[in-house]
Amino acid sequence: MKTVTCCDKGRRRFLKTTALGALAGLAGSQLDTQLAFAADPAYSGDVLVLLSLRGGFDGLSAVVPAGDPAYYAARPTIGVPKAQLIGGGTFFGLHPALAPLLPHWTAGSLAAVHAVGQPAPNRSHFSAMEELERAAPGTSVRTGWLSRMLGSFGAHDPFDAIAMGTARPARVLAGPVPHLSLTSIDGLALTGDDATKPVAATMAALYRDAPPALAQTAGQLTGALERGRELRAAGYTPANGAAYPDTELGAALRDVARLIKADAGLMTATVDSGDWDMHENVGIAAPGRRMHDQLAKLAAALAAFATDLGADGLRRVTVITISEFGRRVTQNGSAGLDHGYGNAMFVLGGGVRGGRVYGTWPGLGAAQLRDGDLAVTTDYRAVIGEILRARCGVGDLSTVFPGVAASSLGLVTAR
């Protein structure tokens, strides 16, 4: 029988009353402290930024198939006129609200992939997001795919992976690899921890000689808090005249750029952008209309992020947008769009072969649709797999996406 000392009991009581609340949620953050892999300090891949467009993004409004006549027939009042499209070729064009991103499209650091999605339609927000982030349909795997990617590199530090802009745990990071969920860098602190009540310092001292199972958790927490203090003390001013919009997405991407430029060890960050579930009043392509303004906010935040990083910083970053599903091809009676299937993804980064739309276009004719929806011709996991191999150095893709082969679109260059 193990003898439990008074000191051990005190540590556990302190952890229960003070630290566990912090581990379940720091002031505006969460720390998942499970550890199962040995460290690999040699990671030299891109920082992968996963931007989830929650609610069901309409790829047909953002990347418009103007060369398909069925598009305008299906959307007589909300289709984006050809004359307003930007950055396009003879078939596709971008929504004019994406103008802040046009320089990156023209320079070749922004691309799109169309007719992408999950292996099977799923019009439920909750179950579709669950499957999107688990990314292992038909298997017993329950971890998130980003956690599996991190595990393949032996990630072990909470700053390797951060869900930025939220205190909620990120499903895509669910698993044994530690990560942080932060509402903001400046909010990374224990409630009540100050010079008069040094909670973090007390915890560090108390757990310095604790058994490994206790010391590990406390050490990760206090280490994260110390690095948060260092980042706050350093302050931050975006570079190159970058002007982030005053939105939750703008603030989150600003903090991601801050971590990247601080060389904090970041391997991946997840960021959410909501309010894409537009069942009514999508509106024409003009300021003040719902889709236009939402796309404008997205574009402004991404453009500021790219400007802030600069060309050198963007060379080691790849941003991917995903969404649980697309929208119906045909507008509904409320000038909106109901839940659909096939969608578009954006990819932004210094290693992107941009300025074009990738993928196999299935067509929008009645016989070409999947139950009234844009058909999926490319598995979103295959697209991400191509990026993970070329830009992040993932060798065995099956450890991340079981049974999926990487696409060969030529979307990105190899590092």
Side-chain angles (χ1 to χ4, degrees):
M1 179 181 295
K2 180 181 177 180
T3 300
V4 179
T5 68
C6 180
C7 188
D8 285 338
K9 289 179 180 177
R11 290 189 183 106
R12 290 175 183 173
R13 188 177 301 112
F14 184 81
L15 187 62
K16 180 178 180 180
T17 60
T18 307
L20 280 184
L23 296 178
L26 300 170
S29 62
Q30 171 160 339
L31 176 61
D32 182 333
T33 58
Q34 300 177 71
L35 183 64
F37 301 99
D40 180 3
Y43 179 76
S44 59
D46 278 6
V47 177
L48 187 70
V49 180
L50 184 70
L51 175 53
S52 295
L53 306 177
R54 307 277 181 177
F57 183 69
D58 181 37
L60 292 171
S61 287
V63 185
V64 178
D68 193 322
Y71 168 77
Y72 291 104
R75 301 186 174 191
T77 66
I78 64 171
V80 184
K82 291 182 181 179
Q84 290 185 252
L85 297 176
I86 61 174
T90 58
F91 193 89
F92 291 106
L94 303 180
H95 193 289
L98 297 174
L101 290 170
L102 186 58
H104 302 286
W105 182 269
T106 304
S109 55
L110 175 68
V113 188
H114 227 316
V116 297
Q118 301 199 54
N122 185 339
R123 294 183 180 88
S124 164
H125 289 294
F126 300 106
S127 62
M129 282 305 308
E130 169 75 16
E131 287 304 300
L132 186 80
E133 297 183 331
R134 189 173 71 90
T139 75
S140 60
V141 173
R142 291 294 174 264
T143 53
W145 69 261
L146 262 182
S147 181
R148 299 194 294 271
M149 187 273 277
L150 291 162
S152 72
F153 289 108
H156 75 296
D157 189 305
F159 272 86
D160 289 341
I162 291 183
M164 187 61 74
T166 178
R168 295 190 300 263
R171 176 64 182 86
V172 72
L173 287 167
V177 178
H179 65 274
L180 281 168
S181 296
L182 301 178
T183 54
S184 69
I185 291 175
D186 289 337
L188 178 54
L190 278 173
T191 302
D193 183 34
D194 56 32
T196 61
K197 293 185 293 182
V199 179
T202 301
M203 182 185 295
L206 187 59
Y207 284 86
R208 187 172 295 116
D209 299 317
L214 297 176
Q216 175 180 290
T217 296
Q220 288 181 333
L221 173 61
T222 56
L225 291 168
E226 178 58 33
R227 288 159 82 177
R229 276 192 291 269
E230 293 172 357
L231 287 165
R232 290 196 303 276
Y236 187 68
T237 301
N240 307 312
Y244 288 93
D246 186 18
T247 61
E248 291 182 357
L249 178 59
L253 288 175
R254 179 182 184 275
D255 271 348
V256 172
R258 183 177 180 180
L259 286 172
I260 291 170
K261 293 197 287 184
D263 290 324
L266 188 66
M267 295 170 65
T268 186
T270 66
V271 179
D272 287 354
S273 169
D275 200 26
W276 295 101
D277 194 19
M278 300 185 189
H279 289 276
E280 65 281 321
N281 300 323
V282 167
I284 62 173
R289 303 307 174 97
R290 192 173 177 191
M291 178 64 76
H292 179 283
D293 289 357
Q294 188 72 354
L295 286 171
K297 292 174 185 176
L298 173 67
L302 283 172
F305 178 72
T307 299
D308 192 3
L309 290 177
D312 288 341
L314 201 59
R315 286 193 189 98
R316 56 191 181 105
V317 174
T318 299
V319 181
I320 304 171
T321 70
I322 59 170
S323 190
E324 62 264 44
F325 44 65
R327 314 301 293 192
R328 301 285 283 181
V329 171
T330 302
Q331 69 180 71
N332 61 28
S334 300
L337 297 161
D338 297 322
H339 299 176
Y341 185 32
N343 211 341
M345 299 169 62
F346 285 109
V347 184
L348 170 70
V352 175
R353 291 189 174 110
R356 57 169 291 191
V357 179
Y358 290 84
T360 300
W361 184 247
L364 297 180
Q368 299 165 314
L369 302 180
R370 177 76 179 267
D371 297 326
D373 297 332
L374 174 66
V376 168
T377 58
T378 305
D379 191 317
Y380 79 102
R381 297 170 299 168
V383 177
I384 297 174
E386 181 175 345
I387 294 166
L388 293 184
R389 278 191 168 173
R391 302 301 303 175
C392 300
V394 172
D396 184 2
L397 191 61
S398 67
T399 62
V400 182
F401 298 127
V404 176
S407 61
S408 55
L409 299 172
L411 175 65
V412 292
T413 61
R415 280 183 65 100

